[in-house]
Amino acid sequence: MLILECPYCGVQADETELHAGGEAHLKRFGPDSSEEDFEGYLFVRENPKGVHLERWRHSAGCGKWFHAARCTMTLEVFGTYPAQTLAPPKYIIERIKDKRPGWSWRNFS
């Protein structure tokens, strides 16, 4: 079972208390964007086998959205952090790279 710690209330919540929100750190495009950019925002998502950065909501608790870094194959959790951050914290990136030396995420290689 997947267990994540909510970075807001500190509760260790299992997946039945959470709601998955998909890929984290998406660049959002509004009505003035090109059709290609808006289509990409709506439909194009990474779906990696391995480490992934995701959005989660503590729906049975404080109700807040947060981000989690986890492995989709093993359910290993590398950390959680507030949804308002624009990039994963450095300590989480280092934690991932310690266990997955070849891993990189966008400009955080």
Side-chain angles (χ1 to χ4, degrees), residues 9-63:
C9 62
V11 171
Q12 296 273 333
D14 68 48
E15 57 193 302
T16 62
E17 299 177 40
L18 305 168
H19 178 78
E23 185 178 345
H25 305 292
L26 293 174
K27 181 177 181 184
R28 285 156 175 76
F29 291 93
D32 295 334
S33 63
S34 70
E35 287 187 19
E36 293 80 20
D37 286 342
F38 194 62
E39 177 185 23
Y41 164 66
L42 288 177
F43 301 112
V44 178
R45 299 289 185 265
E46 292 183 28
N47 189 16
K49 181 178 180 181
V51 178
H52 192 46
L53 303 174
E54 303 169 320
R55 293 174 30 126
W56 287 85
R57 182 172 178 259
H58 191 187
S59 54
C62 66

Side-chain angles (χ1 to χ4, degrees), residues 44-93:
V44 178
R45 299 289 185 265
E46 292 183 28
N47 189 16
K49 181 178 180 181
V51 178
H52 192 46
L53 303 174
E54 303 169 320
R55 293 174 30 126
W56 287 85
R57 182 172 178 259
H58 191 187
S59 54
C62 66
K64 294 186 177 180
W65 285 94
F66 63 92
H67 293 162
R70 73 176 186 98
C71 179
T72 59
M73 296 184 325
T74 64
L75 298 185
E76 178 181 11
V77 177
F78 296 99
T80 60
Y81 52 101
Q84 290 77 16
T85 56
L86 299 176
K90 190 171 188 156
Y91 74 92
I92 290 181
I93 292 171

Side-chain angles (χ1 to χ4, degrees), residues 84-103:
Q84 290 77 16
T85 56
L86 299 176
K90 190 171 188 156
Y91 74 92
I92 290 181
I93 292 171
E94 290 171 0
R95 201 178 286 171
I96 295 168
K97 286 186 170 187
D98 284 345
K99 293 197 173 186
R100 309 286 194 295
W103 184 82

